[in-house]
Amino acid sequence: MDFDLASGLKWYLVFLFSTSWHEAAHAWVAHKLGDDTAYHGGQVSLDPTPHIKREPVGMVVAPLLSYFMGGWMIGWASAPYDPEWALRYPRRAGWMALAGPAANLIIVLISAILMRVGFEWGAFQISMHPGFMDVVVAAGGNGGLGSFCATMLSLFFSLNLLLGTFNLLPVPPLDGSNLPFLFLPPEMAGKYRVALRQPAFALIGLLVAWRVFGSIFHPIFEGALKLLYFLSPGR
């Protein structure tokens, strides 16, 4: 892949929207379940501005550096919440945490549906060498709008699959570490919440996630492609 400005801009636009969507989902679910902290902070929004203001390094510096140094984007954002609310209502806090990756997986589903429509209408075809930017390509190799749409849908599909699955890893500080709150009794949930907030556990969790995610994500991505391609015309 050529690391040109046009490709980088496409990546960054998809990253901005997907990350803002992820954090807005956290904030919206928290608002609906009784915590207005993120709502009053402006995080219930697809406008990336409040998310960038809160995490400028994670939303601007890290994704651009990771793209031009490695060819793909990684970054982070966050939505504030009331820790006292989370202690009082651990199950609600669990749903709030899982809303972010669920939002990313919704984008994956929508992207897959639109790509399937493109298959059926003859606008897209299967890529011979699928990657993040070319899950599907414009039919006949045509450029222009068809190529742009194919690239953007491929990026929305791939990047949100990565964001959703990475954040579901059950290690702190990732969202998946909150899954036990849906099942733990209140007393144990409180102790678990205190443990999750320890910086040492967050550091260990990130190291574990970084170590294992590559081997986990590759078969997930391959499986998602097989599912998408299996129903395509001629397959």
Side-chain angles (χ1 to χ4, degrees):
M1 185 180 77
D2 294 327
F3 304 144
D4 55 43
L5 290 178
S7 296
L9 179 60
K10 292 172 186 176
W11 269 92
Y12 191 54
L13 288 175
V14 173
F15 172 84
L16 276 183
F17 180 86
S18 303
T19 308
S20 299
W21 173 264
H22 177 108
E23 297 305 328
H26 284 314
W28 182 79
V29 170
H31 171 61
K32 291 298 181 180
L33 295 179
D35 178 15
D36 288 335
T37 306
Y39 176 80
H40 291 306
Q43 267 75 34
V44 185
S45 173
L46 295 181
D47 178 359
T49 305
H51 307 291
I52 291 174
K53 286 181 178 179
R54 181 171 171 81
E55 296 283 3
V57 175
M59 289 289 285
V60 180
V61 179
L64 295 181
L65 281 179
S66 61
Y67 174 76
F68 287 107
M69 293 177 65
W72 61 295
M73 284 193 179
I74 188 170
W76 62 86
S78 64
Y81 69 93
D82 180 0
E84 294 299 323
W85 169 82
L87 283 172
R88 287 197 305 271
Y89 305 106
R91 191 165 296 174
R92 297 184 189 182
W95 286 119
M96 178 267 289
L98 295 175
N104 292 124
L105 296 179
I106 288 172
I107 293 180
V108 173
L109 180 60
I110 293 172
S111 300
I113 291 172
L114 292 176
M115 286 190 284
R116 290 289 310 130
V117 172
F119 282 141
E120 298 295 337
W121 287 0
F124 301 146
Q125 64 187 30
I126 294 171
S127 172
M128 296 301 295
H129 305 287
F132 266 42
M133 291 190 72
D134 57 1
V135 171
V136 296
V137 294
N142 295 324
L145 181 60
S147 179
F148 176 80
C149 291
T151 298
M152 295 301 285
L153 284 175
S154 295
L155 281 173
F156 272 113
F157 178 87
S158 303
L159 186 57
N160 280 278
L161 185 62
L162 185 149
L163 291 173
T165 53
F166 181 75
N167 279 286
L168 283 174
L169 291 178
V171 294
L174 303 180
D175 296 325
S177 64
N178 291 272
L179 182 62
F181 288 122
L182 303 182
F183 311 103
L184 288 174
E187 183 177 349
M188 291 184 64
K191 294 179 180 178
Y192 182 59
R193 171 69 62 184
V194 172
L196 284 183
R197 294 173 66 182
Q198 300 301 313
F201 285 148
L203 178 60
I204 293 171
L206 285 175
L207 290 174
V208 170
W210 188 262
R211 178 84 181 195
V212 306
F213 185 66
S215 59
I216 292 173
F217 183 69
H218 181 72
I220 291 174
F221 185 61
E222 292 293 324
L225 290 181
K226 288 178 181 178
L227 185 61
L228 177 68
Y229 291 166
F230 178 75
L231 297 175
S232 63
R235 304 296 271 196

